[in-house]
Amino acid sequence: MRLFPIFADLEARLVLVVGGGAVAERKIKSLLASGARVRVGALEAGDAVQELARQGKIELLRGSFEPDWLEGAWLVVAATDDRELNRHIAALAGEQKRFINVVDDPELSSFQVPSIVDRSPLTIAISSAGSAPVLARRVRERIESLFDHTLGSLAALAAGYRQAIRQARPDLRRRREFYDWLLDGPVADALRKRQPSQARQLLEDELRNPQAAIAGKVILVGAGPGDPGLLTLKALRALNEADVILYDRLVDGEILELARRDATQIPIGKIPGEDHNATQARIHSLMLEHARQGRLVVRLKGGDAFVFGRGGEELQFLREHDVPYEVVPGITAALACAAYAGIPLTHRDHAQSVRLITAHCRQDTFLEDWPSLARDKQTLAFYMGVSQLDWLSEQLMSHGRSGDTPFAMVENGTRSNQRVLQGSLKNLAELARRHEMKAPSLLLIGEVAALAPALEWFGASIRQD
Ligand code: SAH
């Protein structure tokens, strides 16, 4: 079930509640709190409900359910303990196109009432579409603990200055900066110390500060290997603030989902027939074009931008053109794949060093020092190696690395379709072919790879010798 979340304005609108017990009472009270006019129909009504009727706060109809109770209601809440009756009311409400919530019965409901974190006027609503109320409650508890109660008064304060803020900061990015300052800075502090007039004063002073023209900026962000949980908080923040996102093919769709909704997302991959330098030139000119228009550009790359990511070249270009930039590191594939395959990259007994190497070079220009790569007690992490496995393993073995050295090849590391192939160096190419290992795959070679069977915890593994 997929629900469309809405926040309904019930002010002075009629809502029918069927039932007069404790559950109904709770619903009635929260409906009244949001300003709804409430009609209650019930065979029997509890004391509290009767009291509300006496005070004139609700209209109370006594007796068995009558279809004409529905008349004029925008929403219906069925809170009786008679499932047949609830079903009947739901059917009638449906015919009349009125939204109904049958308490604790998602199947009969056409709308559901979420769990709420109330920092009025800020309201956070959580739903599991009725499938896991316990989970929703958990999430609610977590969120409750994240935001102190100042948030409500802060939101109310900001609401009072909305027009003024809009006028003083007509530019969207400036405005966002202002709100960030409001949330993180001295105004929130003053509210926390229960000094509302001080908070007001600080806000007004800041609004009077003239602002310089805004300059664009590029943030080079490492998106990590795939699992969105591996994004840094800074990366998440950059995605939330970006006007434009230039992203690589390797970046997972789930990560782009986290970006600000109205950011322009531009995929950058190699166009067929285009060489790498032309692609890179296109990226450079896109960054420049958008930054010069005062935008916040996030250049989003898989893993870390400085590990086989040409991040250095992009910064050189930006520096030459006087475009300000920041860099947010990401978790590179070697670290992530090793962790998700249960392979410690270094180990007191098995490996004193790690080397990150690209296998994606023309073989005749591959200038690596094979004898040093072939030494034992070190871990080699090869990027972009899927098509070079015969050559790689032959070179290592002919320079002295034992054919029995364990390897692990991690395909789609950290993603739900992660596969790990394990075996010995001498069988590497043959095994990878047999199991059709594809890019993106990361190859780890070294004694530590033998620890995977004992330490693995994620995804599927194939072991063969
Ligand atoms: N900047 C990136 C690397 C880019 S090169 C980083 O720091 O991770 C692209 C290579 O990275 C791929 O060919 C593959 O070898 C490796 N890689 C990236 N993501 C991967 C993943 N999720 N699983 C396995 N290998 C990955």
Side-chain angles (χ1 to χ4, degrees):
M1 189 188 313
R2 226 189 131 86
L3 299 177
F4 182 72
I6 58 173
F7 285 90
D9 175 5
L10 292 181
E11 185 67 39
R13 300 207 159 101
L14 182 67
V15 178
L16 170 69
V17 177
V18 186
V23 178
E25 180 193 327
R26 272 202 304 280
K27 300 289 170 194
I28 293 165
K29 286 189 171 150
S30 64
L31 286 165
L32 286 175
S34 62
R37 265 169 57 217
V38 181
R39 172 187 295 157
V40 180
L43 210 46
E44 285 169 40
D47 292 344
V49 175
Q50 291 189 33
E51 180 57 29
L52 287 171
R54 259 195 302 280
Q55 293 170 3
K57 294 195 173 144
I58 59 171
E59 172 194 356
L60 180 58
L61 307 170
R62 303 293 289 266
S64 312
F65 172 74
E66 298 280 349
D68 61 7
W69 290 359
L70 290 164
E71 197 57 46
W74 289 68
L75 296 177
V76 181
V77 176
T80 80
D81 47 15
D82 177 346
R83 188 148 204 261
E84 273 323 297
L85 177 60
N86 286 343
R87 186 187 298 281
H88 173 60
I89 301 170
L92 274 180
E95 276 168 27
Q96 301 179 12
K97 301 203 167 40
R98 300 183 206 275
F99 276 104
I100 181 163
N101 174 256
V102 179
V103 177
D104 288 336
D105 198 336
E107 206 185 306
L108 291 182
S109 300
S110 54
F111 81 91
Q112 293 174 13
V113 183
S115 287
I116 290 238
V117 179
D118 184 2
R119 297 288 184 275
S120 292
L122 184 81
T123 309
I124 302 168
I126 303 141
S127 155
S128 65
S131 60
V134 179
L135 184 66
R137 219 168 300 137
R138 266 297 166 78
V139 172
R140 194 186 75 96
E141 284 164 15
R142 290 283 284 278
I143 296 180
E144 281 282 3
S145 67
L146 277 179
F147 301 112
D148 64 46
H149 285 265
T150 320
L151 203 59
S153 29
L154 199 58
L157 181 69
Y161 283 89
R162 224 177 123 198
Q163 277 311 325
I165 295 171
R166 191 170 269 279
Q167 266 162 23
R169 300 285 186 280
D171 176 80
L172 181 65
R173 226 178 95 206
R174 280 287 186 228
R175 203 148 64 235
R176 240 183 279 140
E177 275 172 14
F178 184 84
Y179 279 108
D180 278 341
W181 171 84
L182 204 59
L183 286 170
D184 300 330
V187 174
D189 261 354
L191 287 176
R192 232 169 266 128
K193 290 186 232 148
R194 303 280 185 270
Q195 297 167 333
S197 51
Q198 169 81 354
R200 213 165 264 282
Q201 190 61 51
L202 285 163
L203 188 153
E204 286 175 9
D205 290 350
E206 180 71 14
L207 272 184
R208 272 193 292 274
N209 265 347
Q211 296 289 308
I214 53 165
K217 179 164 83 177
V218 175
I219 311 185
L220 190 57
V221 176
D227 179 350
L230 296 176
L231 277 177
T232 62
L233 293 176
K234 276 201 147 185
L236 191 59
R237 184 161 188 174
L239 285 173
N240 267 316
E241 293 179 349
D243 297 309
V244 180
I245 299 172
L246 307 175
Y247 66 94
D248 280 352
R249 189 176 42 90
L250 215 52
V251 172
D252 214 273
E254 276 185 75
I255 286 176
L256 291 165
E257 289 266 316
L258 299 171
R260 188 161 72 87
R261 291 281 158 206
D262 47 355
T264 311
Q265 302 189 354
I266 307 176
I268 304 185
K270 210 165 147 274
I271 295 172
E274 185 184 56
D275 73 16
H276 282 288
N277 291 329
T279 313
Q280 200 58 40
R282 194 153 47 80
I283 296 170
H284 290 174
S285 71
L286 277 169
M287 290 194 300
L288 191 61
E289 175 195 328
H290 289 289
R292 287 212 164 138
Q293 290 174 35
R295 304 207 173 104
L296 179 63
V297 180
V298 165
R299 170 74 181 108
L300 191 63
K301 288 166 174 281
D304 179 83
F306 283 179
V307 179
F308 308 124
R310 300 186 80 160
E313 288 167 52
E314 294 180 10
L315 293 196
Q316 274 163 359
F317 174 86
L318 294 171
R319 177 57 43 100
E320 279 160 21
H321 292 80
D322 281 330
V323 176
Y325 57 76
E326 289 170 26
V327 184
V328 178
I331 296 190
T332 190
L335 302 189
C337 292
Y340 278 57
I343 299 172
L345 288 170
T346 68
H347 189 288
R348 278 203 302 181
D349 303 330
H350 309 300
Q352 275 76 52
S353 67
V354 192
R355 295 175 74 165
L356 309 187
I357 311 156
T358 170
H360 187 78
C361 280
R362 294 238 332 273
Q363 302 184 6
D364 50 308
T365 62
F366 195 83
L367 299 177
E368 267 301 342
D369 170 9
W370 286 106
S372 99
L373 285 178
R375 243 173 261 139
D376 58 5
K377 300 252 173 190
Q378 64 174 333
T379 308
L380 306 180
F382 280 103
Y383 289 68
M384 298 176 276
V386 186
S387 57
Q388 318 273 0
L389 299 175
D390 286 296
W391 168 72
L392 261 177
S393 47
E394 275 157 26
Q395 287 290 340
L396 287 171
M397 288 187 294
S398 69
H399 285 87
R401 195 63 152 132
S402 158
D404 294 326
T405 309
F407 79 84
M409 189 165 188
V410 185
E411 179 192 74
N412 283 308
T414 81
R415 301 182 180 152
S416 55
N417 54 348
Q418 169 176 308
R419 286 198 300 164
V420 182
L421 173 67
Q422 295 160 48
S424 314
L425 185 57
K426 58 177 183 290
N427 303 324
L428 166 60
E430 149 62 15
L431 286 176
R433 259 191 299 275
R434 190 179 329 146
H435 294 284
E436 300 182 25
M437 300 300 282
K438 294 198 185 59
S441 282
L442 184 106
L443 175 62
L444 295 167
I445 299 175
E447 291 75 4
V448 289
L451 296 170
L455 301 180
E456 69 191 2
W457 58 276
F458 183 87
S461 62
I462 313 159
R463 210 160 300 140
Q464 240 159 27
D465 261 305

